[in-house]
Amino acid sequence: MNGDGYADLVVGTGGEDVGADTNVGTVVVLWGSARGLSGGTTISDPDPSGHDLFGKSLAVGDFTGDGRADLAVGSTGSAVWIYKGGFTKSSGTASKFKLSTDLEPGTSRGARTLTSGDFNADGYSDLLITGFYNPNSYSAADGSLVYLGSATGMAYQDILAEGDTVATGDLNADGYDDVIVSWAWGGSQGDAGGSIVTYLGGDVGVRTDTEQIIDQDTPGVPGADESSDYFGNAISIGNIDGDGHDDAAVSSYYESIGDATLAGSVTVFRGNLRGLATDGVKVFHQGTTGVPGTNEDNDHFGSAVRLSDLNADGHADLSVGADGENSGDGTIWSLRGSSSGVTTKGAVSFGASAAGISTTGYPYVGNVMAD
């Protein structure tokens, strides 16, 4: 965030009380250094009386194209605040602007998620905002709003399918970031088992004419589309096999496997020219050969997923959280990426105790991941 060569961590605390104002929320940048995270700076809320849960959603990207990291912050309000790059440890950033949207404000409204990507490959980061879109009395709907970045601000482009979860990456290897949104909880498609929708990027931004819908009834996709699987609960995009196409990991964290209810699973798709290939799809869970553990009731394997190259070998590795493992202690698995895709060879797992986290109460390790 401050251009010193060390990655920083931006943290939102939506329920933070500020003075007499309850649940107004706050955002803090924890600064990276050669010794890890050290010290932090609070990012001031420009309109504390106008919303609550400031910091409930966050995204970082270069929305203004000046080579510096900007910060987008959501709340229960309809606006998203963009803090322009040039952060310092002493004062955060002095420059910001308000992105007004047609999101409906309210306790469970506002910007539910924020995700950045460069959908038109112009060098400016773009922003995807999910929430309840309410521009007038006859077209209100849950949706994912696309705003394109530029030197002069953010311009609205289009609305996509609603997204319980959103991820971006270059699935078809054409230089434009693509989008996956999920209907994990049923959504507009009315699919109780959940589904995902892909859109390709292009010169105009996100291309709605490339919509591809996939669920567990799609030919080639293993499993059965059963009620409350929540297919698409978590999504991550990364290049696993090194072929230039980003791939996708999609969780069904309430999937029942054999006699184990809500054990959870993760489905891995290869990227292709269309978006996602529906052949060669692989599914992983605790009953998969080489994956440590055993499928049990309420494990929730796939409560979070992340594709990231952890060992710098050019292949994205798959990290999986199961926040219900061991009665809510939670566990994380690491499965290596390779030229043939995700492999279970050398797979490892660790729980709360191994990470030095107290198991008092319900820590739910693996509930959320970021990279």
Side-chain angles (χ1 to χ4, degrees), residues 236-248:
S236 187
I237 295 177
N239 190 354
I240 299 170
D241 53 17
D243 66 350
H245 293 265
D246 280 344
D247 310 300

Side-chain angles (χ1 to χ4, degrees), residues 172-192:
N172 63 343
D174 65 352
Y176 300 97
D177 278 344
D178 310 310
V179 177
I180 304 177
V181 301
S182 78
W183 286 327
W185 299 84
S188 301
Q189 194 184 12
D191 181 350

Side-chain angles (χ1 to χ4, degrees), residues 128-131 142-146 158-163 166 181:
L128 198 64
I129 308 171
T130 67
D142 257 317
S144 303
L145 310 182
V146 182
D158 213 331
I159 181 170
L160 312 180
E162 64 184 276
V166 177
V181 301

Side-chain angles (χ1 to χ4, degrees), residues 1-10 29-34 36-38 371:
M1 301 302 293
N2 60 352
D4 65 356
Y6 296 100
D8 308 305
L9 179 63
V10 185
V29 179
L30 303 177
W31 302 106
S33 72
L37 295 174
S38 178
D371 62 13

Side-chain angles (χ1 to χ4, degrees), residues 19-41:
D21 196 344
T22 60
N23 297 327
V24 65
T26 190
V27 176
V28 176
V29 179
L30 303 177
W31 302 106
S33 72
R35 300 177 303 280
L37 295 174
S38 178
T41 302

Side-chain angles (χ1 to χ4, degrees), residues 229-230 233-234 250-255 257 261-267 283-288 291-305 318-325 331-335 348-349 366:
D229 283 347
Y230 300 136
N233 169 74
V250 180
S251 80
S252 306
Y253 84 134
Y254 271 14
E255 184 96 25
I257 301 170
T261 302
L262 311 185
S265 67
V266 175
T267 304
V283 176
F284 298 89
H285 50 74
Q286 290 185 76
T288 302
V291 177
T294 303
N295 288 320
E296 298 170 316
D297 293 349
N298 301 309
D299 280 347
H300 305 163
F301 186 85
S303 55
V305 294
L318 173 62
S319 299
V320 180
D323 61 12
E325 182 79 11
T331 296
I332 293 175
W333 284 257
S334 178
L335 284 68
V348 297
S349 65

Side-chain angles (χ1 to χ4, degrees), residues 191-194 216-217 223-231 255-257:
D191 181 350
Q216 289 177 294
D217 278 343
D225 190 17
E226 299 171 321
S227 177
S228 301
D229 283 347
Y230 300 136
F231 178 77
E255 184 96 25
S256 294
I257 301 170

